[in-house]
């Protein structure tokens, strides 16, 4: 369950005792572009716990407090848009148990959607096939989903729970007009057609420009993000493709609203420069090993004003973000010491804001 800053402060106040109602104070001042708390974006769902790009993983990520689910999409050989990160099937499915190689590999583009339905999504890294206490709404949550089916499942979750978790869609392909058009068409068809509900992104500069043009033609607004790394060239901050292309923030700002950058390239000055151009900044990918690591990872970026955390661990990053700004005011000692220690024990992993 997500704990908001106000709930965290209330919990601290209760724990400290009735006589010190002012002991816990909320001072959550975010340096984000809009001043709101940064967004938690479940990276391919919650792959630290369940198979990535799965309906079950998305649902768990939503339960863990994600504001958006990030998913990757590409086309099968018969033109069906599916949720899949890799261009091959070997890392995330049991394809080797079901099919022989085609053209020397297991490329997604060599299989029809019908053929892919014989496969099961498998966990990677620290993930598993189940999660304690979690039963997904979907009856077959670890098949390879169509993109439309994934959106329908997210809508069903939102309706059932009174939530409004959105979708951040990444096109995993080289510049491809057919795929870009199908992404936008599917999002609009499924009702994900506002910035609060939907955003699109890609590493391909051409793809991102195409998204902007397609949305203009459709008369629809969604969030648009350019993926890459941050790079300072001649005192100008750019989005870099880690190769030959660097595009200044001022240029990107003409058709996108967010730069989604490798966290290792993000600095305080970079965020300030992006905000100066009216761009929000997302960082990828946060993979804390535990709650303490989540605090250590999040706090510098929170101080700098990062607008979104793309993470494999939405639960621990949610706690880190929601505890930002919760501070404990001074209490006369020694009388207040037992109550203070008791309050901190109840809060447990919630740490004070640094700085």
């Amino acid at each position: 369950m997500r704990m908001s800053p106000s709930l965290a402060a209330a919990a601290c106040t209760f724990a400290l005792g009735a006589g010190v109602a002012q002991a816990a104070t909320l001072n959550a001042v975010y340096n984000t572009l809009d001043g709101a708390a940064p967004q938690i974006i479940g990276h391919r769902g919650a792959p630290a716990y369940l198979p990535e790009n799965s309906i079950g993983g998305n649902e768990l990520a939503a339960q863990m407090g994600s504001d958006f689910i990030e998913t990757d999409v590409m086309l099968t050989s018969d033109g069906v848009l599916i949720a899949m990160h890799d261009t091959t099937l070997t890392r995330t499915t049991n394809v080797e148990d079901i099919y022989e190689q085609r053209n020397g590999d297991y490329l997604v583009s060599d299989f029809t959607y019908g053929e892919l339905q014989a496969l099961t999504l498998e966990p990677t890294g620290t993930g598993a096939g189940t999660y304690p206490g979690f039963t997904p709404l979907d009856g077959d949550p670890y098949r390879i989903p169509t993109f439309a089916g994934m959106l329908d499942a997210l809508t069903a979750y939102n309706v059932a729970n009174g939530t409004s978790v959105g979708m951040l869609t990444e096109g995993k392909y080289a510049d491809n007009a057919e795929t870009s058009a199908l992404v936008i068409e599917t999002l609009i068809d499924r009702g994900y057609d506002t910035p609060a509900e939907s955003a699109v992104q890609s590493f391909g500069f051409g793809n991102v420009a195409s998204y902007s043009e397609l949305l203009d033609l459709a008369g629809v607004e969604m969030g648009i993000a350019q993926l890459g790394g941050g790079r300072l060239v001649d005192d100008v901050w750019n989005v870099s493709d880690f190769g030959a292309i660097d595009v200044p923030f001022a240029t990107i700002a003409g058709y996108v609203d967010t730069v989604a950058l490798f966290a290792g390239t993000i600095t305080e000055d970079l965020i300030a420069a992006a905000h100066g151009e009216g761009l929000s900044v997302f960082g990828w990918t946060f993979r804390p090993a535990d709650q303490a690591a989540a605090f250590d990872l999040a706090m510098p970026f929170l101080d700098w004003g990062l607008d979104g955390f793309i993470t494999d661990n939405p639960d621990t990053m949610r706690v880190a973000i929601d505890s930002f700004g919760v501070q404990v005011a001074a209490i006369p000692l020694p009388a207040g010491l037992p109550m203070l220690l008791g309050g901190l024990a109840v809060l447990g992993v919630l740490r004070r804001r640094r700085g």
Side-chain angles (χ1 to χ4, degrees):
M1 175 181 291
R2 129 181 2 188
M3 177 175 281
S4 68
S6 58
L7 287 176
C12 186
T13 301
F14 176 80
L16 291 175
V20 285
Q22 301 302 315
T25 61
L26 180 63
N27 186 28
V29 178
Y30 295 101
N31 296 318
T32 53
L33 181 63
D34 62 2
Q39 295 178 328
I40 289 288
I41 302 156
H43 180 237
R44 309 176 205 166
Y49 312 109
L50 289 173
E52 67 179 55
N53 280 320
S54 68
I55 288 174
N58 287 0
E59 187 176 335
L60 180 63
Q63 286 191 17
M64 288 180 166
S66 295
D67 299 295
F68 273 77
I69 305 296
E70 186 266 353
T71 195
D72 310 286
V73 295
M74 62 181 65
L75 287 174
T76 62
S77 65
D78 55 342
V80 177
L81 198 59
I82 63 166
M84 177 67 60
H85 176 272
D86 298 1
T87 56
T88 62
L89 298 159
T90 51
R91 184 179 65 88
T92 58
T93 79
N94 64 337
V95 66
E96 293 166 308
D97 298 333
I98 307 298
Y99 296 115
E100 298 292 330
Q101 289 188 349
R102 299 178 184 179
N103 300 313
D105 209 336
Y106 289 104
L107 292 171
V108 172
S109 57
D110 284 337
F111 291 82
T112 67
Y113 173 67
E115 289 174 322
L116 295 182
Q117 292 308 283
L119 307 182
T120 300
L121 291 169
E122 296 183 329
T124 58
T126 60
T130 60
Y131 186 80
F134 172 69
T135 302
L137 291 174
D138 191 279
D140 189 13
Y142 305 117
R143 66 189 184 282
I144 296 175
T146 65
F147 181 47
M150 180 171 276
L151 291 171
D152 289 344
L154 183 58
T155 297
Y157 175 86
N158 283 330
V159 170
N161 293 277
T163 52
S164 56
V165 180
M167 182 67 76
L168 171 60
T169 308
E170 179 180 346
K172 299 296 295 186
Y173 46 83
D175 289 353
N176 183 304
E178 178 187 3
T179 309
S180 294
L182 190 53
V183 166
I184 299 302
E185 177 186 320
T186 305
L187 286 166
I188 294 173
D189 180 66
R190 288 316 199 263
Y192 286 79
D193 55 3
T194 70
E197 300 164 317
S198 183
V200 290
Q201 65 178 9
S202 177
F203 282 97
F205 289 96
N207 283 340
V208 173
S210 293
Y211 285 147
S212 178
E213 293 170 0
L214 288 164
L215 289 170
D216 285 344
L217 287 172
V220 170
E221 290 188 11
M222 298 179 191
I224 305 176
Q226 177 66 60
L227 282 160
R231 187 163 183 252
L232 189 65
V233 180
D234 296 330
D235 295 324
V236 174
W237 281 104
N238 294 254
V239 179
S240 172
D241 69 348
F242 307 102
I245 302 177
D246 296 297
V247 181
F249 287 175
T251 301
I252 290 288
Y255 56 95
V256 310
D257 46 44
T258 300
V259 288
L261 307 175
F262 172 53
T265 67
I266 295 174
T267 68
E268 185 173 11
D269 288 343
L270 179 151
I271 292 175
H275 286 179
E277 297 292 346
L279 295 166
S280 57
V281 183
F282 293 170
W284 55 269
T285 301
F286 293 89
R287 297 183 171 103
D290 52 34
Q291 189 62 67
F295 279 112
D296 290 340
L297 282 170
M299 291 307 163
F301 293 97
L302 287 167
D303 283 331
W304 299 343
L306 188 69
D307 301 279
F309 290 77
I310 300 176
T311 178
D312 289 3
N313 308 71
D315 54 346
T316 56
M317 295 304 292
R318 170 54 65 193
V319 173
I321 288 174
D322 283 357
S323 66
F324 183 74
V326 177
Q327 299 183 342
V328 180
I331 304 173
L333 297 178
L337 182 59
M339 290 183 289
L340 176 60
L341 295 178
L344 295 177
V346 170
L347 282 175
V349 296
L350 295 179
R351 290 185 177 179
R352 296 180 60 185
R353 175 183 173 182
R354 297 179 178 179

